[in-house]
Amino acid sequence: YPRDRLLIDGVHALAHALPGEGGAADPWPELAKVLEQIDDADLSERPLLAAVRPLLAMVVGRERVLQLLEQSALHPDPWVRATVPFVRVQLTENDGDLEGMRVALDESLEAFGEIGDRWGLAVTLSELSSLRIMDGDLEGAEGALEQTRALMAELGAREDSAMIQLRTSARRSWII
């Protein structure tokens, strides 16, 4: 099974695992199948697949996710290493650990900033806006969303930029 095809299958399976994405009722078997193919593979030459692997490991449990994050933190590609704190943002948010989320957000912003990854910064800033809303900081949330929108516009991500504009407008209506 070619590794590039596994990347496509893995991303496809993750997309179908998201609520409202019209995927299969139970995406976990598809995710498990992809993970089985790559779980112990050397992905030093496949950065995208290396970055997706810890997310795929959700099907087998948190312990495996954490083990794979440790491996990703040592990956030769700086982008793969930068994805580690972002995955930790997701884990801490799911746990309801707002302090852990705050730390992971700071690390993610720093990591993506160091390598100049505007997409990584944008998705991290979007998560920061969610945290600021939970903190009751609606103006801070709006500022993070505005930064996200600007980065998405720079990247030409029109649909993402439009969605962020809608979220920003919603935040403004809460502030008024």
Side-chain angles (χ1 to χ4, degrees):
Y1 207 74
R3 293 243 160 85
D4 291 335
R5 180 67 203 176
L6 286 170
L7 173 61
I8 293 166
D9 289 350
V11 172
H12 183 260
L14 283 173
H16 281 81
L18 298 173
E21 294 298 318
D26 184 8
W28 300 116
E30 187 178 351
L31 288 168
K33 179 179 146 189
V34 174
L35 180 63
E36 184 179 307
Q37 296 285 324
I38 64 168
D39 192 37
D40 293 320
D42 173 12
L43 300 177
S44 58
E45 300 297 319
R46 299 278 196 264
L48 287 174
L49 201 52
V52 170
R53 182 168 50 185
L55 297 172
L56 292 173
M58 291 185 298
V59 299
V60 294
R62 185 182 192 95
E63 185 176 316
R64 187 64 183 140
V65 172
L66 295 175
Q67 290 170 347
L68 290 172
L69 284 175
E70 286 179 25
Q71 288 178 18
S72 293
L74 301 173
H75 195 278
D77 189 288
W79 183 79
V80 175
R81 293 191 306 269
T83 65
V84 171
F86 185 75
V87 174
R88 287 194 177 118
V89 168
Q90 307 306 310
L91 294 173
T92 55
E93 181 180 29
N94 289 345
D95 291 345
D97 177 5
L98 298 185
E99 285 308 310
M101 185 180 178
R102 211 175 313 283
V103 169
L105 280 165
D106 287 344
E107 291 172 355
S108 185
L109 287 169
E110 183 179 335
F112 284 126
E114 282 179 9
I115 62 171
D117 185 327
R118 293 177 291 173
W119 177 84
L121 287 169
V123 295
T124 303
L125 285 163
S126 181
E127 289 294 326
L128 178 61
S129 76
S130 297
L131 178 65
R132 287 183 173 167
I133 288 168
M134 289 186 266
D135 286 343
D137 179 7
L138 299 181
E139 290 181 12
E142 181 182 347
L145 283 174
E146 184 55 37
Q147 288 179 285
T148 301
R149 189 204 56 74
L151 288 165
M152 289 297 185
E154 285 178 21
L155 294 171
R158 297 184 202 295
E159 294 83 10
D160 290 332
S161 187
M163 181 57 72
I164 296 301
Q165 185 62 43
L166 285 172
R167 289 179 64 192
T168 302
S169 296
R171 299 316 181 260
R172 287 181 180 149
S173 70
W174 296 349
I175 293 171
I176 296 174

